Amino acid sequence: QVHLVESGGGLVQAGGSLRLSCTASGSIFSINAMGWYRQAPGKQRELVAAITRGGSTNYADSVKGRFTISRDNAKNTVYLQMNSLKPEDTAVYYCRMVIYDYLYWGQGTQVTVSS
């Protein structure tokens, strides 16, 4: 059984920063792609950033230059450094991992950016 646990969300003023973490636990040998998604009220879940096992990354246009995704394979952990936060970044953020060709999601962590 694999579980993803997220941390690091919270309330921050516009222009501030937050760092999200997501760690996978369980019987894991290796993790392929890792990513962060977000879902704002009344909107569909969208990709924020993703990173392959080799370290290749891609970002949503709305966060390019402000957010950075990284991973620590030894710790089965993915991070999302969020800088210059805007009110429109307010959402529940979910991590997602591809492990043995199965998709796993975290429980979500709330990020609220006040203006």
Side-chain angles (χ1 to χ4, degrees), residues 4-107:
L4 305 188
V5 179
E6 302 160 358
S7 62
L11 173 65
V12 65
Q13 289 188 332
S17 298
L18 285 174
R19 190 192 194 208
L20 305 182
S21 300
C22 176
T23 299
S25 62
S27 181
I28 300 169
F29 176 68
S30 67
I31 302 173
N32 295 324
M34 296 179 171
W36 289 95
Y37 289 70
R38 67 186 181 188
Q39 188 167 17
K43 295 187 177 181
Q44 290 189 335
R45 192 172 297 188
E46 63 176 0
L47 172 68
V48 176
I51 184 168
T52 67
R53 180 168 179 78
S56 297
T57 59
N58 68 287
Y59 296 91
D61 288 342
S62 59
V63 307
K64 283 180 180 177
R66 300 188 298 121
F67 291 10
T68 302
I69 189 170
S70 61
R71 61 188 287 170
D72 185 332
N73 292 328
K75 296 181 178 180
N76 294 332
T77 297
V78 61
Y79 304 97
L80 186 68
Q81 178 66 44
M82 305 185 292
N83 299 328
S84 302
L85 282 160
K86 304 175 180 180
E88 51 264 43
D89 294 318
T90 295
V92 177
Y93 284 70
Y94 299 88
C95 68
R96 190 190 86 161
M97 297 188 185
V98 180
I99 304 172
Y100 306 132
D101 295 328
Y102 289 96
L103 285 176
Y104 294 91
W105 290 89
Q107 81 283 0

